[in-house]
Amino acid sequence: MGRPGTGAYFRDIEKVAMALAKLKPHFEKENPVTQLMVTPETGKIKDEVLNEKGPLGIIEIKTTLERIPEFLHTLEKIQKEVDTASALVSHQMLPDGTIPHEEWVRRAGYKLSSMGKQYWVGRPLFQED
């Protein structure tokens, strides 16, 4: 969430984390945002940092392929309540160059960006052809 020049407040990061937490993903324990959570089960961020702003806030989760549409739709809904841009990035690519989640992204009504393993659910600054 956020990007250099716009940033993201932790109150917005919390909204997204709490929406995702309802879907019961695995939040990466070593992630700085996860470490600021009161508990990953709720996604609640510590009150003392909610008004802080940083250049980026990365929420790192794991889920199964078949749950990708549910997560994407949840992210699209909550994005309307936050005041920053968001992008999703997947780090899973098979050795042959295929992306195992691409079909599930397409089923949810989205497409992967031609820039790599990234797709937008927020407000991109440009439209791809």
Side-chain angles (χ1 to χ4, degrees):
M1 297 180 61
R3 59 174 44 172
T6 62
Y9 282 98
F10 278 94
R11 65 177 166 262
D12 285 332
I13 295 168
E14 177 187 68
K15 288 177 187 176
V16 173
M18 290 179 75
L20 292 174
K22 291 177 183 176
L23 301 176
K24 304 201 182 312
H26 168 77
F27 284 93
E28 174 53 50
K29 291 178 183 166
E30 298 301 319
N31 179 283
V33 170
T34 304
Q35 292 179 4
L36 289 172
M37 291 179 186
V38 175
T39 171
E41 288 76 26
T42 64
K44 172 76 178 121
I45 304 260
K46 297 174 184 174
D47 288 337
E48 59 267 24
V49 299
L50 290 179
N51 289 320
E52 299 294 327
K53 184 177 184 180
L56 298 171
I58 298 172
I59 300 172
E60 191 175 356
I61 63 167
K62 289 182 185 177
T63 189
T64 58
L65 290 172
E66 58 274 357
R67 294 202 61 209
I68 287 174
E70 182 180 11
F71 278 84
L72 291 176
H73 293 303
T74 297
L75 287 168
E76 184 173 24
K77 286 178 191 173
I78 197 66
Q79 181 62 36
K80 296 171 185 164
E81 298 179 28
V82 298
D83 189 27
T84 189
S86 296
L88 296 154
V89 179
S90 170
H91 295 288
Q92 187 177 35
M93 185 178 279
L94 299 177
D96 66 1
T98 60
I99 302 169
H101 60 278
E102 187 170 13
E103 173 189 344
W104 293 97
V105 170
R106 195 171 30 257
R107 284 185 189 186
Y110 300 94
K111 66 178 185 170
L112 295 177
S113 167
S114 60
M115 296 186 304
K117 301 174 285 180
Q118 179 175 340
Y119 40 98
W120 291 92
V121 295
R123 298 178 293 254
L125 297 177
F126 64 93
Q127 292 286 341
E128 287 188 315
D129 294 329

